[in-house]
Amino acid sequence: MSTETGDDSRTRETGHGEDDGRAAGARRAARRDAAVRAAVAQGLLGPDHPLVALLDVTGIRESAAELREAFAAVTPSGTPVLHAFAVKATPLVPVLRLLHTEGIGAEVASPGELALARAAGVPPERTVLDSPAKTPAELREALALGIAVNADNPQELARIDALMAEPPARPAGLRSPLGIRVNPQVGGGTIEALSTATATSKFGVALRDEGAREWVVRAYLDRPWLTRLHTHTGSQGIALPLMARGVAETYALAEEINRRAGRQQVDTVDIGGGLPVDFTSDTAGPTYTRYARLLKETVPGLFDGRYGLVTEFGRSLLAKHGTVVARVEYAKSAGGRAVAVTHAGVQVAARTVYTPAAWPLRIAAYDAAGRPKTGPAVMQDVAGPACFAGDLLAREIPLPLLEQNDYVAALDTGAYAFAHHYGYNSLPRPAVHGFTAHHVNRADGTDHVGGTDHVGGTDHVSGTDRTNRTGGPGAGVAFALVRPAQTAEEIVAESGGAHLDALIP
């Protein structure tokens, strides 16, 4: 998986930080192994339930804490900092609720995402609306609720001007922080589709286009209620120095606006998200700490207490904490290559199936009891259930030879994967369960209950606490339902089943 580019392309910390990262990765892997075994033991996986998605609640909480602490360490005490989770990364209400309890807000880019954030209890003042195609109705709702809005272009700003003339959104009653998204045009990364600061990106006002910078400055000078400035250079495949350069360009623009206004008009800079994820190992990197320090070194004035900050991280908060586990329905051979036919494919990992070079996934093998599988590595394909030849999670991957009734796990799929179901062949959405594993001991393959914290509770995830407290396989792992598996009846209903004769004269 591509992460960073250029000379500064390492995704892991060095020295003591690297050791800490490896230890955290080992703990994450141990929790995952315990959860897979427990899912089989507790009946969440099996012949009648061949596909399930798992979310590591402990890992999510740890990532949220790491994000908060990283930016707290580089900002003066009292600096307003809002970390808004990019809802598009994992649009599941219980996930948003969990993050809300961990001090993380929501960045939304559609009416649906806003509805999810509101359902999760995220308050308007901790919500940011971004989208390149906001309708008048969306803008009106955001202003009425007091949600922060980043205008994408001059025409959108003109719409906001018109809405600002309507009560109660008039400047005297305005509650929404408002700003403009700018494209610093600093270049792209290794994945063109995720590079949002290229010369021709569809996002924001292109600052290097003729007359654009002056237009932005005048827009602020003419509208004292514009107090934020927003940028987002890109996500996976973007080098940290390039991300920092995009922020630096935006900070320089904020300084210019304030200088020409003769006051601190722009008081908050929204730096977007985009921290890349290392999909090659269990170690998480680059870290929030590394990025926050780089930003402070690159743009010290942004961190001297004069500006509030907004971040919009998504993938880096959730990816490492999700796992799709699928049963091997059949094990076969074709052209001398072993092929494991499973129930996980394009419907839960569309990017990997359609663009495998850009989005390869790590695959882990488990036996029929859900234990990590051992044995000589054999080159094999891991195939999905969809009816086209390219529905493969992995090609020619070395794994212990997979057999019928074994399980495969697609790792690091907590973002932009199983939460984004693709309905090819009308395949059903899998059930999603949150889990907490207590005091796992990977060395002897056992796990033990300890402490009182668990995944259940309506404030975090919904559903029944399914904890094995008997001391057998899977003991010490608590599950709670985040989203139930889709039924055949629901597939029919979503496919117009109630309108059976609509096309018959």
Side-chain angles (χ1 to χ4, degrees):
M1 171 61 65
S2 300
T3 51
E4 297 180 70
T5 59
D7 293 336
D8 187 14
S9 61
R10 297 299 298 167
T11 61
R12 298 183 181 88
E13 301 297 294
T14 57
H16 182 65
E18 183 176 2
D19 293 339
D20 290 346
R22 287 174 176 168
R27 291 192 297 271
R28 187 182 307 114
R31 292 195 300 268
R32 179 180 65 234
D33 288 349
V36 172
R37 189 175 185 192
V40 175
Q42 298 182 35
L44 300 182
L45 273 168
D48 296 328
H49 305 284
L51 178 66
V52 72
L54 304 175
L55 285 168
D56 180 356
V57 175
T58 299
I60 296 171
R61 286 176 169 150
E62 289 175 351
S63 286
E66 290 165 6
L67 172 58
R68 296 193 316 269
E69 292 165 4
F71 280 83
V74 297
T75 52
S77 177
T79 300
V81 179
L82 169 62
H83 298 295
F85 174 68
V87 173
K88 59 183 173 288
T90 311
L92 297 169
V93 171
V95 169
L96 306 183
R97 181 65 170 177
L98 173 61
L99 289 171
H100 172 50
T101 66
E102 295 297 316
I104 307 297
E107 183 267 336
V108 301
S110 72
E113 289 183 357
L114 176 56
L116 296 179
R118 296 188 70 188
V122 181
E125 63 271 18
R126 298 189 63 78
T127 304
V128 180
L129 174 61
D130 292 319
S131 164
K134 306 180 195 73
T135 66
E138 292 172 55
L139 292 168
R140 184 177 288 109
E141 180 183 22
L143 293 177
L145 291 172
I147 289 169
V149 177
N150 293 313
D152 180 81
N153 55 71
Q155 292 175 354
E156 183 182 334
L157 186 58
R159 281 184 173 175
I160 293 175
D161 284 338
L163 291 171
M164 289 288 287
E166 302 175 3
R170 290 174 178 153
L174 180 65
R175 292 182 296 151
S176 294
L178 301 177
I180 296 175
R181 176 171 183 167
V182 296
N183 171 10
Q185 295 175 291
V186 293
T190 60
I191 303 176
E192 182 181 1
L194 299 187
S195 299
T196 56
T198 59
T200 58
S201 171
K202 72 177 185 180
F203 292 102
V205 178
L207 281 183
R208 298 184 184 182
D209 284 12
E210 184 177 357
R213 187 183 188 93
E214 180 61 23
W215 178 87
V216 172
V217 174
R218 289 305 320 173
Y220 278 81
L221 298 181
D222 293 342
R223 298 167 179 83
W225 37 266
L226 287 175
T227 59
R228 288 190 174 183
L229 197 58
H230 174 227
T231 194
H232 177 67
T233 300
S235 50
Q236 197 68 20
I238 303 295
L240 296 194
L242 186 62
M243 291 171 62
R245 184 180 165 197
V247 173
E249 295 280 348
T250 307
Y251 164 76
L253 177 59
E255 290 282 90
E256 180 180 348
I257 292 168
N258 289 340
R259 182 173 62 255
R260 290 178 60 176
R263 64 186 182 90
Q264 182 84 25
Q265 178 172 338
V266 177
D267 59 22
T268 300
V269 176
D270 184 335
I271 66 171
L275 190 72
V277 172
D278 180 4
F279 286 89
T280 66
S281 76
D282 283 311
T283 302
T287 64
Y288 294 120
T289 296
R290 178 180 170 189
Y291 183 44
R293 288 174 178 171
L294 175 63
L295 285 174
K296 187 169 184 178
E297 293 169 1
T298 305
V299 201
L302 185 58
F303 295 87
D304 63 10
R306 291 179 297 130
Y307 290 92
L309 293 175
V310 177
T311 72
E312 300 175 355
F313 297 105
R315 179 181 290 104
S316 56
L317 275 167
L318 260 293
K320 286 290 182 185
H321 311 306
T323 304
V324 173
V325 190
R327 193 166 185 260
V328 177
E329 197 66 43
Y330 300 107
K332 55 194 292 187
S333 177
R337 184 185 304 167
V339 180
V341 181
T342 80
H343 291 270
V346 71
Q347 84 276 33
V348 291
R351 283 177 169 174
T352 294
V353 169
Y354 285 124
T355 54
W359 298 100
L361 285 174
R362 290 186 299 138
I363 304 296
Y366 296 87
D367 66 18
R371 297 169 299 205
K373 186 154 190 172
T374 60
V378 176
M379 300 302 289
Q380 54 200 300
D381 290 351
V382 178
C387 291
F388 67 98
D391 187 30
L392 300 169
L393 284 183
R395 296 167 169 80
E396 295 187 81
I397 185 173
L399 289 170
L401 184 63
L402 291 164
E403 302 171 280
Q404 188 176 35
N405 301 329
D406 283 346
Y407 294 94
V408 296
L411 310 184
D412 305 332
T413 48
Y416 300 103
F418 56 76
H420 299 70
H421 184 76
Y422 176 44
Y424 200 101
N425 280 146
S426 295
L427 291 164
R429 290 188 296 267
V432 180
H433 295 267
F435 73 88
T436 300
H438 305 278
H439 296 281
V440 176
N441 182 345
R442 195 179 189 186
D444 61 6
T446 62
D447 39 79
H448 311 281
V449 177
T452 58
D453 177 50
H454 79 88
V455 72
T458 57
D459 281 348
H460 298 152
V461 289
S462 60
T464 304
D465 174 18
R466 300 182 59 158
T467 309
N468 180 348
R469 303 186 187 280
T470 65
V477 179
F479 292 101
L481 185 63
V482 172
R483 183 187 70 191
Q486 188 179 30
T487 65
E489 292 77 13
E490 289 169 336
I491 292 174
V492 171
E494 289 186 3
S495 301
H499 308 280
L500 177 64
D501 295 325
L503 303 180
I504 300 175

